Amino acid sequence: MSQTDTFDAAEFRRALGSFATGVTIITTRDADGHNVGLTANSFNSVSLNPPLVLWSLAESSNSLPAFRNAQHWAVHVLAADQESLSTRFAKRGVDKFAGLDCETGVDGIPLLRGCTARFECRTAFQYEGGDHVIFVGQVLNFERAESAPLVFHSGRYADATRRDGSAKPRNAYLAGSFNEDFLGYLLGRSHHQFFSKIRSHLDAEGLSDEEFYLLSTLTLKHDLTATELSTGMAGVLDDHSAPALQALLKRGLAQELGEGGAFELTLEGRACALRIISAAKAVEQQLLERLGPGEGEVLKSLLNRLLSATDAGASAIWQQAAGD
């Protein structure tokens, strides 16, 4: 008996999953001219001269005959905002290309848009590799973009972004105190810097920061009960929540649905919210462009995880609101 015969297959798979990889979609055309594609994270480089890359496909895959017979195929390295595309191409029994605006590559192979990198390849070699077939391709054409990649680690999608080695936080002069790398300092300063760029719009509408936060919260759902508002404001506005709500009610920007029931925005409140949110979205877009393509998605994903970790109750309320 070989040593590998004693391996726990599930545990071995988890161990392999410790190696973080990018996520790719491989596409080709079958003998009948139909587009074929699948999600894979087995992609790797082989050689620079000649330019060779490889990936592998399970012997049990329904797409194996198409790739075995294909002379050409394309590898798409997905960007951080293409998780839904990865999920689509990982499914079986669906038209994966339905509604997609594809380009056409060598030999008619479909090419997906918006990827971090894209390689058009000619099949150079095929090898048997246990329960997989290894495909080696010679790269004929390639493209790349400055965007954060989609990452897969330990059986789930993950985030990756560049590290800025030139930005070194200063140490505080008082031993044991906070420095510029402290999470609270980074979040607090980022918050104030962002809102400084939209505060003029709040002033024009006559809204305080608390009133704007409550106003924008009421846009998440058609109506929110007093309990939902209380849960959502806990740890954020706390004692300032009630005065902010009363101010919105007094100005006719929000209204109560029945005594002690739910609250909703009025038509005037919705118009006010849309004006400010439009301005805030413009500021957001400018800031995200400075971060670089895809890194905004990474930042939002991490902040959402942070909110879930620090305020699980409120996060559940907002997730339910988003689904309604």
Side-chain angles (χ1 to χ4, degrees), residues 92-110:
R92 293 190 177 192
V94 297
D95 183 358
K96 302 173 183 179
F97 293 88
L100 292 182
D101 181 20
C102 296
E103 299 176 32
T104 301
V106 61
D107 203 22
I109 58 176

Side-chain angles (χ1 to χ4, degrees), residues 195-196 198-209 251 276:
F195 270 87
S196 69
I198 65 171
R199 187 150 282 111
S200 62
H201 300 283
L202 299 185
D203 292 341
E205 299 286 351
L207 292 172
S208 67
D209 287 7
R251 288 185 54 185
I276 299 177

Side-chain angles (χ1 to χ4, degrees), residues 152-163:
F152 200 71
H153 178 257
S154 294
R156 66 185 67 181
Y157 294 111
D159 297 314
T161 187
R162 298 178 183 85
R163 290 188 177 183

Side-chain angles (χ1 to χ4, degrees), residues 114-263:
C115 303
T116 294
R118 193 168 68 184
F119 304 89
E120 296 178 64
C121 305
R122 177 184 61 79
T123 301
F125 308 102
Q126 295 183 25
Y127 299 106
E128 300 298 326
D131 57 3
H132 279 61
V133 175
I134 301 170
F135 294 90
V136 179
Q138 180 172 356
V139 179
L140 305 177
N141 303 297
F142 71 92
E143 297 177 10
R144 62 180 294 270
E146 294 291 341
S147 57
L150 183 63
V151 177
F152 200 71
H153 178 257
S154 294
R156 66 185 67 181
Y157 294 111
D159 297 314
T161 187
R162 298 178 183 85
R163 290 188 177 183
D164 186 357
S166 63
K168 298 293 184 182
R170 292 175 294 181
N171 289 321
Y173 76 92
L174 185 63
S177 65
F178 302 132
N179 62 21
E180 290 180 331
D181 204 28
F182 173 59
L183 179 61
Y185 171 82
L186 294 173
L187 291 173
R189 183 162 183 174
S190 297
H191 168 83
H192 287 292
Q193 292 281 18
F194 182 87
F195 270 87
S196 69
K197 300 181 184 301
I198 65 171
R199 187 150 282 111
S200 62
H201 300 283
L202 299 185
D203 292 341
E205 299 286 351
L207 292 172
S208 67
D209 287 7
E210 294 81 8
E211 290 163 5
F212 167 66
Y213 185 80
L214 193 57
L215 186 78
S216 59
T217 297
L218 286 168
T219 68
L220 295 176
K221 193 177 177 183
H222 184 271
D223 57 80
L224 288 170
T225 67
T227 300
E228 289 173 332
L229 277 176
S230 177
T231 302
M233 299 301 105
V236 182
L237 296 186
D238 289 326
D239 294 340
H240 300 285
S241 176
L245 179 58
Q246 289 304 313
L248 295 182
L249 292 170
K250 184 177 181 179
R251 288 185 54 185
L253 299 179
Q255 62 187 4
E256 188 173 5
L257 302 176
E259 189 167 343
F263 299 90

Side-chain angles (χ1 to χ4, degrees), residues 25-27 35-40 57 61-64 67 84-102 110 112:
I25 290 176
I26 319 292
T27 62
N35 292 337
V36 178
L38 51 85
T39 301
L57 181 59
S61 172
N62 294 333
S63 302
L64 183 60
F67 284 102
S84 61
L85 197 62
S86 170
T87 301
R88 174 197 284 220
F89 276 82
K91 295 179 180 178
R92 293 190 177 192
V94 297
D95 183 358
K96 302 173 183 179
F97 293 88
L100 292 182
D101 181 20
C102 296
L112 307 177

